[in-house]
Amino acid sequence: MIDFLQLLQIFNAIVPPIVALSILFLSKVSQGELAKWSERQFYTALAVMTVITLRTVIRADDAWLIHTATLGFMVVGSLYVRAEPSSLANLP
């Protein structure tokens, strides 16, 4: 039987990376106004994932590798995959 704390640790190890990578994917495939909105959401998710990763590494939790890899994928994915020309970085 899995107790509540183990279930919470599993949830913490799986859900934030899935949400963060989903937002990265959404920011890369959307166009127009949705692209601007999803890019803002991506920057928010990147900041939240950075804090989660720092907390995980500082506490030496078991999910440190998952969170660090997710943060790495988010940074590399945001730079490597071409975005729409109307992204926030190109606004005056």
Side-chain angles (χ1 to χ4, degrees):
M1 180 82 182
I2 297 177
D3 64 352
F4 181 70
L5 291 178
Q6 287 178 333
L7 187 63
L8 194 59
Q9 287 177 341
I10 293 170
F11 179 82
N12 181 36
I14 295 173
V15 173
I18 289 174
V19 170
L21 293 176
S22 300
I23 292 173
L24 171 64
F25 178 74
L26 177 66
S27 71
K28 294 301 171 181
V29 298
S30 49
Q31 299 174 354
E33 289 298 317
L34 182 61
K36 293 176 186 176
W37 177 81
S38 63
E39 193 169 344
R40 286 191 299 265
Q41 299 305 313
F42 169 73
Y43 289 131
T44 303
L46 182 63
V48 169
M49 197 64 211
T50 301
V51 170
I52 290 173
T53 302
L54 286 173
R55 181 197 55 139
T56 303
V57 170
I58 289 170
R59 291 178 50 198
D61 284 342
D62 294 334
W64 72 268
L65 185 59
I66 295 170
H67 290 173
T68 306
T70 301
L71 188 60
F73 281 130
M74 289 181 73
V75 170
V76 171
S78 67
L79 298 174
Y80 184 70
V81 180
R82 290 187 176 249
E84 183 182 343
S86 66
S87 67
L88 289 177
N90 295 330
L91 291 177

